[in-house]
């Protein structure tokens, strides 16, 4: 029996998130079905990040166990023949049998994509959040700086989250604009439910002048979800990559906890 690690990209538009659930089709369900058909045995993958309905990924990670004779690096090519066009296994490789994608030291990078233009672009309606109003980029950048570091992010997580520890570390949070494209990029050791979308929604309200950058520092200190901004829509969010400890460049000085 071997454990295979998969790097998975998908357009989340047509799915009710990653995790199998009774009320709709999910990425995990489709992947399980394709791998089961490929290997001839029932497969249940274990995913690293349970992305929400409508959220996209370029680098989610999952593992599964198999006795299949297919070489590990060829599984991606074989299973892609059985997957729909909006899900692609971009890499497959063998890992130790006890390797678990959620219990390894890691750093996740998310991007929230915004189209800041006068008119929407119908070809990008499922991958960017359309914002027509003027945004003060410098104020957004300043506000983002207050969220970098280790903090209690209780103000930036869904009130229905049942986790006891809401302390997380953000290593990098940038706001960049190129033409009409605005990208909020956040890199951290873990994220609470809806955390990135609430950060994005709050920074957008800073950009509109509803909050000052200093207000964001105060919001963080209140540890109260009601004090933060709205939750930005899911379709602008993309999980870009998950870097595990052995893959991280130690020269960056990250301490992964």
């Amino acid at each position: 029996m071997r454990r295979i690690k998969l790097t998975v990209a998908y357009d989340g538009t047509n799915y009710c998130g990653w995790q199998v659930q009774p009320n709709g089709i999910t990425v995990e369900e489709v992947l399980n079905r394709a791998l089961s058909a490929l290997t001839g045995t029932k497969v249940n993958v274990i995913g690293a990040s349970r992305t929400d309905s409508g959220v996209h990924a370029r680098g989610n990670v999952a593992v599964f166990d198999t006795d299949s004779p297919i070489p590990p690096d060829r599984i991606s090519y074989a299973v892609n023949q059985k997957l729909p066009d909006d899900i692609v296994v971009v890499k497959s490789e063998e890992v130790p049998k006890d390797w678990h994608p959620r219990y390894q030291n890691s750093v996740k990078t998310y991007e929230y994509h915004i189209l800041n233009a006068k008119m929407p672009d119908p070809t990008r309606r499922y991958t960017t959040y359309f914002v027509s109003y003027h945004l003060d980029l410098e104020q957004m950048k300043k506000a983002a700086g207050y969220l970098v570091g280790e903090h209690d992010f209780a103000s930036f997580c869904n009130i229905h989250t049942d986790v006891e520890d809401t302390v997380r570390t953000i290593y990098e949070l940038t706001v960049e604009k190129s033409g009409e494209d605005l990208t909020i990029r956040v890199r951290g050791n873990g994220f609470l439910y809806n955390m990135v979308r609430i950060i994005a929604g709050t920074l957008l309200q800073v950009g509109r002048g509803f909050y000052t950058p200093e207000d964001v520092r105060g919001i963080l200190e209140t540890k109260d979800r009601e004090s933060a901004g709205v939750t930005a829509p899911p379709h602008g969010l993309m999980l870009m990559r998950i870097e595990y400890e052995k893959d991280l460049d130690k020269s960056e000085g990250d301490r992964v906890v």
Side-chain angles (χ1 to χ4, degrees), residues 129-156:
Y129 177 39
F130 170 63
V131 172
S132 61
Y133 41 79
H134 171 74
L135 295 170
D136 189 325
L137 189 65
E138 293 308 310
Q139 291 292 91
M140 294 174 70
K141 288 181 177 180
K142 186 176 180 181
Y146 289 117
L147 300 177
V148 176
E150 182 179 84
H151 304 286
D152 187 334
F153 283 95
S155 296
F156 293 89

Side-chain angles (χ1 to χ4, degrees), residues 39-245:
T39 63
T41 58
K42 184 175 177 57
V43 170
N44 290 302
V45 300
I46 302 171
S49 184
R50 300 166 182 171
T51 52
D52 290 339
S53 177
V55 174
H56 315 293
R58 286 185 178 169
N60 205 346
V61 171
V63 297
F64 74 99
D65 297 323
T66 183
D67 284 325
S68 171
I70 302 172
D73 64 329
R74 302 303 298 176
I75 288 175
S76 56
Y77 296 94
V79 75
N80 283 336
Q81 304 302 311
K82 299 180 180 298
L83 288 169
D85 292 342
D86 53 7
I87 301 176
V88 174
V89 175
V90 298
K91 186 178 181 180
S92 57
E93 57 191 308
E94 186 171 357
V95 291
K97 292 180 181 179
D98 62 350
W99 196 91
H100 194 292
R102 292 201 296 273
Y103 302 147
Q104 308 293 319
N105 290 337
S106 66
V107 173
K108 294 181 180 179
T109 301
Y110 281 91
E111 288 184 358
Y112 195 87
H113 298 139
I114 298 155
L115 175 62
N116 189 200
K118 292 182 178 179
M119 293 292 177
D121 181 347
T123 68
R124 301 172 63 190
R125 67 191 185 279
Y126 296 131
T127 56
T128 56
Y129 177 39
F130 170 63
V131 172
S132 61
Y133 41 79
H134 171 74
L135 295 170
D136 189 325
L137 189 65
E138 293 308 310
Q139 291 292 91
M140 294 174 70
K141 288 181 177 180
K142 186 176 180 181
Y146 289 117
L147 300 177
V148 176
E150 182 179 84
H151 304 286
D152 187 334
F153 283 95
S155 296
F156 293 89
C157 86
N158 189 291
I159 58 174
H160 300 296
T161 301
D162 57 4
V163 297
E164 295 182 3
D165 182 11
T166 50
V167 174
R168 297 292 186 272
T169 302
I170 290 181
Y171 301 116
E172 180 183 10
L173 177 54
T174 61
V175 184
E176 301 172 350
K177 191 173 185 184
S178 177
E180 297 177 331
D181 295 320
L182 191 150
T183 302
I184 298 170
R185 183 178 299 107
V186 56
R187 185 170 179 263
N189 70 345
F191 296 93
L192 301 164
Y193 183 37
N194 285 167
M195 179 173 160
V196 179
R197 290 166 56 193
I198 296 170
I199 288 174
T202 302
L203 291 180
L204 283 170
Q205 290 186 285
V206 171
R208 295 188 72 179
F210 295 157
Y211 295 138
T212 67
E214 291 71 27
D215 287 336
V216 172
R217 178 172 57 186
I219 290 168
L220 191 64
E221 293 171 352
T222 66
K223 303 175 187 177
D224 178 9
R225 171 66 187 95
E226 295 300 318
S227 66
V230 299
T231 304
H235 62 274
L237 184 62
M238 183 175 293
L239 172 58
M240 300 300 293
R241 60 185 172 273
I242 303 175
E243 302 164 275
Y244 289 96
E245 192 168 33

